[in-house]
């Protein structure tokens, strides 16, 4: 499966806003979005000297790309999540965001054990995370209400976890998660709702894009 390995900040500049893909750097003056607030590439700053009319499709595509990049999900698994969300009761766009928020890598990030979702995925793949007392190394695994997620006892003092918890810029713990930083343990106390997801995206545009 194709995986983006280029500069993370280039993705933020392409979307024209901070996606918070680099942890602490996103909050400093070194953030490329602050220093170069225009799209990357040869014509990023000037747009090639032409003003282009942005179509409805382009708006929908950019919103999909933005959400994929925020959560670090490739096209095929993202589309699979959408198809599943479309067959659930409720609003498809909200179901999609809830499924993305419930991914194990995002839960680790929201709990503050990883400074970014990318770092959280690395912690999971390297066997540093346990769910309900058992090691789980699948970042895309869905966490359910009542599940206990923790950093493995032998890994709770590793440098990335300590640095993330000590960071003044770590994300605020959301209401659907209960976290004990001392024991490096958290629990999903409820299924997240759209109101609980601190994300400024227009998920309905993604629904319209895939519904064509």
């Amino acid at each position: 499966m194709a995986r983006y390995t280029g500069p993370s900040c280039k993705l933020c500049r392409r979307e024209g806003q901070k996606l918070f893909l680099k942890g602490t750097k996103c909050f400093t003056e070194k953030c490329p979005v602050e220093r170069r607030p225009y799209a990357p590439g040869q014509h990023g700053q000037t747009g090639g000297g032409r003003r282009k009319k942005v179509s409805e499709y382009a708006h929908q595509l950019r919103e999909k790309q933005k959400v994929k990049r925020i959560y670090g999900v490739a096209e095929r698994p993202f589309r699979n999540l959408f198809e599943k969300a479309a067959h659930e009761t409720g609003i498809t766009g909200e179901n999609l965001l809830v499924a993305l928020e419930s991914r194990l890598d995002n839960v680790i990030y929201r709990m503050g054990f990883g400074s970014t979702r990318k770092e959280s995925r690395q912690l999971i793949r390297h066997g540093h995370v346990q769910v309900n007392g058992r090691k789980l190394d699948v970042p895309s695994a869905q966490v359910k209400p009542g599940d206990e997620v923790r950093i493995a006892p032998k890994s709770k003092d590793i440098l990335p976890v300590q640095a993330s918890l000590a960071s003044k810029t770590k994300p605020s713990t959301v209401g659907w998660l209960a976290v004990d930083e001392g024991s490096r343990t958290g629990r999903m106390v409820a299924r997240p709702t759209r109101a609980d997801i601190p994300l400024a995206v227009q998920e309905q545009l993604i629904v319209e894009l895939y519904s064509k």
Side-chain angles (χ1 to χ4, degrees):
M1 181 175 64
R3 182 168 61 92
Y4 178 76
T5 58
S8 298
C9 296
K10 186 176 180 179
L11 302 181
C12 297
R13 291 178 60 209
R14 173 59 62 189
E15 301 306 328
Q17 66 183 86
K18 293 185 180 185
L19 304 181
F20 300 100
L21 305 179
K22 292 289 288 184
T24 304
K25 182 179 179 180
C26 300
F27 298 89
T28 69
E29 66 279 359
K30 294 182 179 180
C31 175
V33 176
E34 299 283 356
R35 300 172 64 184
R36 291 175 288 174
Y38 47 84
Q42 182 179 0
H43 303 298
Q45 191 168 8
T46 63
R50 301 186 301 273
R51 296 184 64 183
K52 297 181 180 180
K53 182 179 179 180
V54 180
S55 67
E56 179 184 2
Y57 172 78
H59 279 300
Q60 295 167 347
L61 181 61
R62 287 265 58 87
E63 201 67 15
K64 183 197 74 168
Q65 292 295 89
K66 180 170 69 174
V67 174
K68 283 173 53 182
R69 288 166 174 173
I70 288 173
Y71 288 99
V73 181
E75 176 62 30
R76 180 170 293 180
F78 189 86
R79 183 61 183 256
N80 289 341
L81 281 177
F82 175 83
E83 295 293 342
K84 183 178 179 180
H87 288 86
E88 295 178 350
T89 58
I91 303 173
T92 299
E94 294 185 8
N95 292 341
L96 174 62
L97 290 184
V98 168
L100 290 167
E101 281 288 307
S102 299
R103 283 171 53 103
L104 181 58
D105 54 0
N106 182 74
V107 170
I108 291 294
Y109 168 70
R110 293 290 187 203
M111 288 180 173
F113 300 147
S115 61
T116 63
R117 293 178 178 87
K118 184 176 181 180
E119 183 176 87
S120 298
R121 283 193 292 276
Q122 189 175 47
L123 289 173
I124 295 166
R125 290 194 181 106
H126 289 184
H128 298 306
V129 174
Q130 295 180 348
V131 177
N132 297 326
R134 301 182 66 178
K135 183 177 76 173
L136 183 58
D137 58 3
V138 182
S140 62
Q142 289 284 303
V143 181
K144 301 176 182 178
D147 284 349
E148 181 188 78
V149 179
R150 69 176 182 178
I151 301 299
K154 293 183 179 179
S155 307
K156 67 179 184 179
D157 292 325
I158 60 176
L159 185 59
V161 176
Q162 288 185 336
S164 179
L165 289 173
S167 174
K168 295 181 180 179
T169 58
K170 67 179 180 179
S172 300
T173 304
V174 288
W176 45 277
L177 294 173
V179 180
D180 182 347
E181 294 185 358
S183 63
R184 311 293 198 260
T185 302
R187 183 180 298 274
M188 180 185 282
V189 296
R191 189 171 185 265
T193 64
R194 182 62 182 96
D196 298 324
I197 302 174
L199 208 62
V201 299
Q202 301 177 62
E203 61 271 16
Q204 183 57 32
L205 292 179
I206 302 173
V207 177
E208 294 170 0
L209 176 66
Y210 279 139
S211 298
K212 290 182 177 180

